Amino acid sequence: MVGSPNPNGSSSPTKKYGITNPISVAGPTDADLHRNDYLEKFLINSGLYESQEEAARREEVLGRIAEIVKDWVKLLTRQRGYTDQMVEDANAVIFTFGSYRLGVSITLCDFLDFFFRCLSSLLYGFKRKIANSCIM
């Protein structure tokens, strides 16, 4: 809580988020609400929202990918000779962002294709860098 004045002039404490003051604390105008409704209808009509079934399937796939990554981290930790407790404590987290976090996204198949193409490309490039830097 910060003791700076509210926009309405009172000096009661307000909660401040971040470092700077907000550009505006006013609510949405009627025009803002109209534009929001128009955008929502457009996104729905364009088929950019996932169905509940698609969203559940994507969550399931992301959960499985998270399990694989966590198992991989634990495997690496064990292979590096860390203690059993450190292996047990080792963890990894996958963060989603962008359109997925907004609930507007590409299909699951497109997502998986993109994910694995990018991942395999990154791993291949990483493998080449490691191979080129190894001293034999």
Side-chain angles (χ1 to χ4, degrees), residues 6-7 15 17 22 34 37 42-43 47 52 58 62-65 70 72 82 85 95-96 107 111 114 116 130:
N6 285 335
K15 189 165 188 168
Y17 298 96
H34 177 72
D37 290 342
F42 174 80
L43 293 173
Q52 288 182 341
R58 185 183 296 253
L62 285 171
R64 183 64 188 123
I65 291 171
K70 288 177 184 184
W72 175 65
Y82 289 96
Q85 183 62 49
F95 291 99
T96 57
T107 66
F111 166 78
F114 176 75
F116 287 112
I130 295 285

Side-chain angles (χ1 to χ4, degrees), residues 90-134:
N91 196 17
V93 179
I94 293 178
F95 291 99
T96 57
F97 59 94
S99 60
Y100 174 76
R101 296 295 293 163
L102 296 172
V104 180
S105 56
I106 57 179
T107 66
L108 180 61
C109 291
D110 291 340
F111 166 78
L112 291 175
D113 179 57
F114 176 75
F115 176 81
F116 287 112
R117 261 189 301 118
C118 288
L119 182 62
S120 65
S121 175
L122 286 171
L123 291 174
Y124 180 74
F126 182 70
K127 181 180 176 183
R128 287 185 57 197
K129 287 179 188 176
I130 295 285
N132 290 337
S133 66
C134 291

Side-chain angles (χ1 to χ4, degrees), residues 10-113:
S10 71
S11 61
S12 64
T14 59
K15 189 165 188 168
K16 183 174 179 181
Y17 298 96
I19 297 172
T20 60
N21 290 327
I23 294 171
S24 172
V25 292
T29 64
D30 287 339
D32 293 333
L33 294 172
H34 177 72
R35 284 186 210 110
N36 187 69
D37 290 342
Y38 177 81
L39 179 59
E40 285 246 9
K41 288 176 187 169
F42 174 80
L43 293 173
I44 290 168
N45 292 336
S46 298
L48 295 175
Y49 280 115
E50 288 181 316
S51 69
Q52 288 182 341
E53 295 81 23
E54 289 172 322
R57 177 72 177 129
R58 185 183 296 253
E59 286 294 322
E60 181 183 326
V61 169
L62 285 171
R64 183 64 188 123
I65 291 171
E67 288 175 25
I68 291 168
V69 171
K70 288 177 184 184
D71 290 346
W72 175 65
V73 167
K74 290 182 184 301
L75 175 69
L76 287 177
T77 306
R78 180 172 274 102
Q79 286 178 345
R80 299 284 188 254
Y82 289 96
T83 66
D84 289 342
Q85 183 62 49
M86 292 173 113
V87 171
E88 186 179 326
D89 293 343
N91 196 17
V93 179
I94 293 178
F95 291 99
T96 57
F97 59 94
S99 60
Y100 174 76
R101 296 295 293 163
L102 296 172
V104 180
S105 56
I106 57 179
T107 66
L108 180 61
C109 291
D110 291 340
F111 166 78
L112 291 175
D113 179 57

